[in-house]
Amino acid sequence: MIAHAIFFYTFSIIAVVSAIMVTVSKNTVHSVFFLILDFISISCLFIMIGAEFLGMIMLIVYVGAVAVLFLFVVMMLNVAQQKNQWFASAASSKHIPVGLIISTIIFFELIIVIGGWKYKPEIFDVNNLLKVSDLSNTHSLGQVLYTDYIHIFQISGMILLVAMVGAIVLTFRQRSNVKRQSYIKQISRERAEGVSVLEVASNKGVKIDD
C-alpha cells in the first residue's frame, strides 16, 4: 500500500537522521532530544510491522526511563556550570527551538500511528506477513527468545552486568573523614560485644546536684 510505504520511509528517514544528530550534535541536551526522537521513530516502525509489544517496550523502557534519565543527568551536570544567571538563561533559551521542533515531530508521529491504528487500520495492514499460528506476536517473541536465542540473551545480560560493575568502579571515589558501614564486622560480631548487662542496685536513683 502506498500510504504504508510513505509512512514507513518517512519514519525510517527520521530515525536515521536522528541517530546521526545524536553523535554530531555538540550540545549534550540536544543529543538527548534527538535520542528520544530516534526511539519514538523506531517504536512507530515496530508498530507498523505488527510488533506492537516491541513498540510499547521501546516507548515505556527506553523513552520513558532511559532517555529521560539521560536528560536529567545531563541537566544536573550542567548546573555547576550555570552559576551566572545571564549564562543560565541564555543556555536554557537555546534548547527551546530544538525542543519545540522535536516535540512537534514526535506529536505528528504519534498522531499518525494512533490515528492510523484506530481509524484507518488498513494503513498499517501487514498482509505480507505469514501467520503460522494463532499465537500473539508477544507469545511468539518470547518463545523464540527463550528457546532458540537463550544463550545470546544470557550473554547480553552478562555483558550488561560487567558494564554496570565497570561503571561503578570507574566512578567510585574514596573519601576521607567519612564513616562507613562494615557489613563483615557487623555479621561476625558476637552477642557479648554488642550487649552489656549491668546490675543496677534497687532503690538507687540518680543524684542531681543543686
Side-chain angles (χ1 to χ4, degrees):
M1 192 174 180
I2 298 178
H4 186 279
I6 292 174
F7 290 138
F8 178 82
Y9 287 114
T10 301
F11 292 153
S12 301
I13 292 173
I14 293 174
V16 173
V17 173
S18 301
I20 295 174
M21 292 301 297
V22 170
T23 57
V24 172
S25 180
K26 296 181 180 179
N27 194 318
T28 53
V29 178
H30 295 172
S31 297
V32 178
F33 285 163
F34 284 111
L35 182 64
I36 295 175
L37 178 60
D38 190 19
F39 285 153
I40 293 179
S41 301
I42 295 174
S43 300
C44 295
L45 291 175
F46 277 133
I47 294 174
M48 289 185 64
I49 63 176
E52 296 88 1
F53 177 75
L54 291 178
M56 293 300 106
I57 288 297
M58 287 287 295
L59 287 175
I60 296 172
V61 177
Y62 287 95
V63 178
V66 178
V68 176
L69 180 62
F70 285 167
L71 182 60
F72 284 162
V73 171
V74 169
M75 294 178 68
M76 288 177 64
L77 292 177
N78 290 334
V79 169
Q81 302 175 359
Q82 296 179 357
K83 295 181 179 179
N84 192 340
Q85 185 176 3
W86 178 85
F87 177 77
S89 60
S92 60
S93 62
K94 291 192 301 183
H95 306 322
I96 294 177
V98 179
L100 288 176
I101 294 173
I102 295 177
S103 301
T104 305
I105 297 174
I106 292 173
F107 176 75
F108 281 111
E109 284 184 348
L110 296 179
I111 289 296
I112 291 172
V113 172
I114 296 174
W117 195 5
K118 185 175 182 180
Y119 299 104
K120 290 185 177 297
E122 66 274 6
I123 295 180
F124 296 150
D125 189 13
V126 282
N127 295 323
N128 56 346
L129 295 178
L130 180 62
K131 188 175 181 180
V132 296
S133 64
D134 295 331
L135 299 177
S136 62
N137 56 22
T138 305
H139 193 170
S140 302
L141 177 65
Q143 194 172 19
V144 172
L145 182 63
Y146 293 107
T147 53
D148 299 337
Y149 299 99
I150 182 63
H151 301 293
I152 300 177
F153 182 77
Q154 294 293 334
I155 292 173
S156 62
M158 295 175 63
I159 292 175
L160 292 175
L161 177 62
V162 173
M164 182 179 67
V165 174
I168 295 173
V169 172
L170 291 175
T171 57
F172 180 75
R173 296 291 182 269
Q174 186 71 29
R175 294 181 297 175
S176 59
N177 300 325
V178 176
K179 292 183 178 181
R180 298 187 179 277
Q181 186 177 10
S182 178
Y183 302 103
I184 299 177
K185 186 177 180 180
Q186 287 182 337
I187 295 173
S188 60
R189 188 177 61 174
E190 299 294 336
R191 178 178 178 275
E193 299 177 3
V195 179
S196 60
V197 180
L198 302 177
E199 293 184 1
V200 180
S202 61
N203 298 325
K204 298 290 186 180
V206 178
K207 184 179 180 181
I208 300 176
D209 297 332
D210 294 336

